[in-house]
Amino acid sequence: MTEGVEWALHCCLNLAWVGPDRAVTATRLAAFHELPPAYLNKQLQPLARAEILTSTPGPRGGFRLAQAPERITLLDVVTAIEGSTEVFRCTEIRQQGPLAGSPELYRDPCLIHAAMQRAELAWRRELAGQNLDDLTVAVSRARPGLPDRVRRWFHEAAG
Amino acid sequence: MTEGVEWALHCCLNLAWVGPDRAVTATRLAAFHELPPAYLNKQLQPLARAEILTSTPGPRGGFRLAQAPERITLLDVVTAIEGSTEVFRCTEIRQQGPLAGSPELYRDPCLIHAAMQRAELAWRRELAGQNLDDLTVAVSRARPGLPDRVRRWFHEAAG
């Protein structure tokens, strides 16, 4: 998994705290965690394409969450950055070699593939069961003052 | 995930059918699925290091399962090939930037990291809950004649 997922999740969390009334530039989001702005911007674009963020142009433009935090799951963010390709890639080697049969024998999925898919499904389910609101609540509990400070820092920057 | 995981799982399944009495060479395992022998051999070495396979040298040497199929889980095979590194890599970007605090604030794990770890745990749990014996049973059910044909092919080759 690329570092883009870590960056995207932190940016989404920060945008959840900033709230829907202010747009935040990629440069400002990058400054908050000392990330390379141009490369961070490349991670934010797929989030906009996936309708997790909205991106508005212009001097007061920038990124906002496109939906309420409770409607954006970790799976949404991971899929936007990494795509929905399966981690385990089945190349159907069962169909190769001296005992390989005719194609109709292989209509049902390879059972090794199916077993690996069950594990990926468990992973996706767990990611889908956690949303940005769960994260903001958990962080607010662990560091009570932090959300307000984050909000203020971004609001000052935007204003 | 590399193609080595697919190859390793198929090889382990074949060795489960061959049984513990015969060793099978990497060349022969490769021929069964038309895989590149030298590169397959590189995937079998970590399985031997992880004590999933035993490797014996000599003209009658080769690979066998080091344990009963029901004692070898899919997680064992995946971990032997891919390592146990987490898929999500947390670089602690929360500790960077204008609002970063002193190191003692970050003793507890990052909550984004923790959320991603829960998903990986679900994936690992599912892989750990499936073993080679489950796979052989499932394949035997789907293709009743196959295990015997596989066994015969490898036994003829070894004899």
Side-chain angles (χ1 to χ4, degrees), chain B residues 64-132:
Chain B
R64 300 163 215 245
L65 288 189
Q67 301 175 57
E70 60 268 27
R71 297 203 52 198
I72 300 170
T73 70
L74 301 198
L75 183 61
D76 295 332
V77 176
V78 170
T79 304
I81 301 290
E82 295 288 299
S84 54
T85 317
E86 286 175 28
V87 175
F88 175 80
R89 211 167 54 90
C90 172
T91 63
E92 288 280 332
I93 63 171
R94 64 178 178 157
Q95 297 195 36
Q96 296 169 194
L99 294 198
S102 53
E104 63 266 23
L105 281 171
Y106 303 106
R107 270 189 208 130
D108 289 331
C110 173
L111 289 162
I112 288 179
H113 186 187
M116 296 300 288
Q117 280 180 317
R118 277 194 292 279
E120 288 198 37
L121 189 63
W123 179 72
R124 277 173 217 281
R125 254 196 212 127
E126 187 65 36
L127 288 178
Q130 302 179 71
N131 62 50
L132 285 185

Side-chain angles (χ1 to χ4, degrees), chain A residues 52-141:
Chain A
I52 291 167
L53 305 184
T54 56
S55 165
T56 47
R60 304 216 122 205
F63 294 96
R64 299 163 214 245
L65 289 189
Q67 301 176 57
E70 59 269 27
R71 297 202 53 198
I72 301 170
T73 71
L74 302 198
L75 183 62
D76 295 331
V77 177
V78 170
T79 304
I81 301 291
E82 296 287 300
S84 54
T85 318
E86 286 176 26
V87 175
F88 176 79
R89 210 167 55 89
C90 172
T91 64
E92 287 282 330
I93 63 171
R94 64 177 178 158
Q95 296 195 38
Q96 296 169 194
L99 295 198
S102 53
E104 64 266 23
L105 279 171
Y106 303 105
R107 270 189 209 131
D108 289 332
C110 172
L111 290 162
I112 287 178
H113 186 187
M116 295 301 287
Q117 280 180 318
R118 278 194 292 279
E120 288 198 38
L121 189 63
W123 179 71
R124 279 173 216 281
R125 255 197 210 125
E126 187 67 35
L127 288 179
Q130 303 179 70
N131 62 50
L132 285 185
D133 190 54
D134 301 329
L135 273 181
T136 58
V137 168
V139 176
S140 305
R141 226 175 259 152

